[in-house]
């Protein structure tokens, strides 16, 4: 028959001639240990085994271990492996038994031995026993195993050992070895939420329905290191090969490893179990990563979680796509079963369903599933496809074989890569176009501000030269036309009018002489009003009154235009008709 898939581990050592600390193995009532790195444990009489605190990362674990080997391998710890901080204590207390408490004195765990206690004893088998006043055993660690059984240990019907979660995580794991009341020895998984036993994936076949006395009665680990099931009629059913064990000074132990099973349901949420060289292996599929990197058979967190937000829930294939995995299934996480159907309908239904995270297609049937996914397994013998939804804008997590997990990504085809490239390029060009529009609007706005500023700064809104036959005169020309501003015709509040001759015409030239308050402003206003009322008539014989200003000089703030050193020419000339 098939051998039990327990890992029977032989630890090879040469027994030391001198023990580190010799005791008689007895522990009196009232004895205690404190969790510190250098605390001395309670030892068996030979010093082979020790009970005390083992440091696990930053905390301490009450445990029993091999004390004469360098590895100090732990072979027992309280149920669910509670770790405690430094300063915690374990006491042997009358009518309470072995009590573990934290530094504040709060009880963390106890053996719950309610009878009167006489003493405790650590045997050289690794069994810790609490004896009553009548010297009968009240409690012993062999009756409450953790993940390991040792030689001389016997498991009765109803007995159980649990795997731990990980190498340094001593909480209850996902596997159990149990001897059922019907006589079968089974390996089964634990349901993650309820803690109840799952389906058995190993059964010894030692149940006899026709005669209960021929069914399995005990699981025995004998002193030679062999394991077998003892039937009620005395028959033995070997679980280990008789010739497989080495001779000499060895320790033997049988441990249910945290990954020592062939059932897929041993892996955590969203995880997938497969066989690698006949050994189970848990891996997160593509699109998922381990929640705790130190626990490979733990839960996997998704890179994308579907939601029913209005912005995406009705977009379907426009927003989402699938990673396609082969030969992978999570058998118990579906909420919709479509039968019969085809692959395309299965895909489309999941794409348009905001609750659907994964669709499984097999044998013209479709199962739509929500997160979290449970009991994942990979089986090449099954012709099954798993479609894992992802958001297109994010892209699938990795390509091909996932860096963290398993499965084939058939969304990473050349067509889809090209599509993603086009989307990326289109997005870049769109961004550049929008940026260009923004810059153009900015330039136009700045130019408008500059033009507006110039217009606002110009106190002469009609300051552009009149596009007519107006002549331009320099200061020197007017100086000569008036014979050096010699003949004065009159004075105003801010300037003097002089008689002059330009060509054959007699003109009056008004010159700004004194910069009084608002004088220049009034002078400019007079010029403007004159320009607006001027009538040009080349044949007119009327005396023309010429008011001339070196416009550029005055407008740019050079000052009075009485000095011939003014660098600007008279750029604006206004002719005003006057009866005077």
């Amino acid at each position: 028959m098939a051998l039990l898939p327990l890992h029977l581990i032989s630890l090879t050592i040469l027994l030391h001639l001198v023990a580190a600390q010799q005791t008689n193995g007895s522990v009196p009532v009232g004895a205690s240990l404190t969790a510190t790195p250098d605390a001395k444990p309670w030892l068996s009489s030979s010093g082979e085994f020790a009970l005390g605190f083992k440091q696990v990362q930053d905390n301490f674990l009450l445990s029993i271990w091999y004390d004469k080997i360098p590895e100090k391998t732990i072979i027992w710890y309280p149920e669910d492996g509670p770790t405690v901080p430094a300063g915690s204590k374990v006491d042997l207390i009358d009518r309470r038994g072995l009590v573990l408490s934290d530094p504040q004195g709060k009880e963390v765990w106890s053996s719950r031995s309610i009878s009167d206690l006489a003493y405790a004893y650590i045997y050289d088998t690794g069994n810790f026993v609490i004896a009553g006043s009548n010297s009968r055993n009240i409690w012993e660690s062999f009756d409450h195993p953790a993940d390991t059984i040792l030689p001389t240990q016997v498991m009765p019907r109803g007995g159980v050992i649990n795997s731990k979660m990980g190498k340094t995580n001593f909480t209850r794991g996902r596997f159990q070895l149990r001897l059922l009341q019907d006589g079968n020895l089974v390996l089964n998984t634990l349901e993650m939420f309820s803690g109840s036993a799952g389906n058995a994936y190993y059964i010894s076949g030692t149940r006899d329905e026709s005669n209960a006395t021929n069914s399995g009665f005990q699981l025995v680990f004998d002193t030679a290191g062999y394991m077998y099931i003892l039937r009620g009629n005395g028959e033995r059913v070997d679980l280990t090969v008789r010739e497989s064990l080495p001779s000499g000074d060895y320790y033997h132990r049988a441990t249910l490893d945290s990954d020592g099973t062939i059932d897929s349901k041993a892996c955590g949420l969203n995880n997938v179990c497969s066989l690698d060289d006949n050994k189970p292996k848990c891996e997160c599929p593509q699109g998922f990563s381990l929640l705790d990197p130190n626990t490979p058979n733990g839960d996997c967190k998704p890179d994308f979680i579907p939601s029913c937000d209005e912005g995406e829930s009705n977009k379907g294939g426009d927003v989402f796509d699938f990673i396609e995995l082969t030969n992978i299934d999570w058998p118990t996480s579906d909420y919709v079963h479509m039968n019969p159907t085809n692959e395309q309908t299965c895909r489309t239904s999941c794409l348009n369903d905001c609750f659907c995270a994964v669709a499984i297609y097999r044998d013209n049937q479709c199962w739509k599933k929500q997160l979290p996914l449970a009991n994942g397994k990979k089986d090449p013998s099954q012709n099954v496809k798993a479609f894992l939804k992802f958001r297109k804008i994010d892209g699938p997590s990795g390509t091909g074989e996932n860096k963290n997990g398993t499965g084939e990504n058939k969304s990473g085809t050349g067509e889809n890569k090209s599509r993603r490239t086009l989307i990326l390029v289109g997005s870049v060009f769109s961004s550049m176009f929008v940026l260009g529009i923004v810059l153009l609007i900015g330039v136009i706005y700045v130019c408008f501000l500059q033009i507006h500023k110039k217009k606002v700064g110009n106190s002469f809104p009609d300051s552009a030269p009149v596009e007519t036959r107006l002549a331009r005169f320099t200061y020197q020309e007017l100086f000569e036309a008036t014979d050096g501003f010699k003949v004065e015709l009159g004075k105003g509040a801010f300037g003097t009018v002089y008689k002059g001759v330009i060509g054959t015409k007699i003109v009056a030239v008004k010159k700004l002489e004194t910069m009084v308050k608002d004088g220049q402003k009034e002078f400019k206003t007079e010029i403007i009003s004159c320009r607006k009322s001027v009538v040009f008539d080349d044949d007119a014989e009327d005396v023309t009154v010429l008011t001339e200003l070196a416009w550029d000089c005055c407008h740019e703030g050079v000052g009075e235009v009485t000095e011939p050193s003014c660098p600007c020419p008279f750029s604006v000339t206004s002719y005003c008709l006057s009866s005077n």
Side-chain angles (χ1 to χ4, degrees), residues 165 169 172 174 190-193 264-272 282-285 287-303 330 372-376 404:
M165 185 61 73
N169 185 350
R172 186 171 60 178
R174 304 183 185 277
L190 286 174
E191 296 295 339
M192 292 168 294
F193 301 110
S264 63
K265 291 189 288 185
C267 301
L269 293 174
N270 305 319
N271 214 325
V272 175
C282 292
E283 285 184 300
C284 295
F288 295 81
S289 58
L290 280 172
L291 189 63
D292 180 2
N294 296 319
T295 308
N297 62 338
D299 298 335
C300 301
K301 59 182 178 181
D303 296 335
W330 291 267
L373 305 168
N375 307 320
N404 235 347

Side-chain angles (χ1 to χ4, degrees), residues 63-310:
S63 54
I64 300 174
W65 63 86
Y66 292 111
D67 199 54
K68 284 191 174 182
I69 59 174
E71 293 84 357
K72 308 293 183 184
T73 306
I74 294 173
I75 53 90
W76 178 89
Y77 46 86
E79 183 181 3
D80 219 22
T83 57
V84 292
S88 300
K89 294 179 65 177
V90 62
D91 299 89
L92 185 62
I93 302 174
D94 190 23
R95 301 190 67 81
R96 292 182 63 191
L98 197 63
V99 179
L100 173 65
S101 57
D102 65 15
Q104 289 72 42
K106 181 180 178 180
E107 181 178 310
V108 177
W109 171 88
S110 76
S111 63
R112 293 182 173 86
S113 306
I114 61 175
S115 301
D116 293 333
L117 305 186
Y119 60 90
Y121 196 88
I122 307 176
Y123 287 88
D124 287 329
T125 59
N127 191 19
F128 181 79
V129 175
I130 299 175
S133 56
N134 57 1
S135 297
R136 295 183 59 181
N137 293 348
I138 298 173
W139 183 93
E140 53 186 290
S141 60
F142 273 13
D143 289 340
H144 305 274
D147 64 343
T148 299
I149 56 175
L150 301 174
T152 73
Q153 192 164 352
V154 176
M155 179 188 292
R157 288 180 180 176
V160 59
I161 66 172
N162 295 286
S163 67
K164 61 176 179 285
M165 185 61 73
K167 185 176 181 180
T168 58
N169 185 350
F170 291 84
T171 57
R172 186 171 60 178
R174 304 183 185 277
F175 309 100
Q176 284 184 325
L177 174 70
R178 297 188 299 155
L179 184 60
L180 303 181
Q181 295 295 340
D182 64 6
N184 271 329
L185 182 72
V186 299
L187 278 168
N188 61 261
T189 58
L190 286 174
E191 296 295 339
M192 292 168 294
F193 301 110
S194 65
S196 59
N199 294 330
Y201 56 92
Y202 168 85
I203 302 176
S204 65
T206 50
R207 173 189 177 187
D208 190 335
E209 295 183 359
S210 61
N211 188 350
T213 59
N214 295 331
S215 297
F217 177 67
Q218 290 178 330
L219 171 65
V220 179
F221 196 177
D222 66 18
T223 56
Y226 294 102
M227 292 183 64
Y228 57 88
I229 298 172
L230 183 64
R231 293 182 182 269
N233 59 5
E235 179 184 345
R236 292 168 44 155
V237 179
D238 289 330
L239 300 176
T240 54
V241 180
R242 280 286 162 181
E243 292 78 19
S244 63
L245 299 179
S247 59
D249 292 329
Y250 293 90
Y251 289 131
H252 301 288
R253 63 183 173 91
T255 299
L256 183 60
D257 289 342
S258 59
D259 61 350
T261 179
I262 59 174
D263 183 66
S264 63
K265 291 189 288 185
C267 301
L269 293 174
N270 305 319
N271 214 325
V272 175
C273 185
S274 60
L275 281 179
D276 184 9
D277 193 21
N278 291 323
K279 188 173 181 179
K281 180 181 181 182
C282 292
E283 285 184 300
C284 295
Q286 186 173 348
F288 295 81
S289 58
L290 280 172
L291 189 63
D292 180 2
N294 296 319
T295 308
N297 62 338
D299 298 335
C300 301
K301 59 182 178 181
D303 296 335
F304 165 69
I305 300 177
S307 68
C308 291
D309 294 338
E310 293 184 2

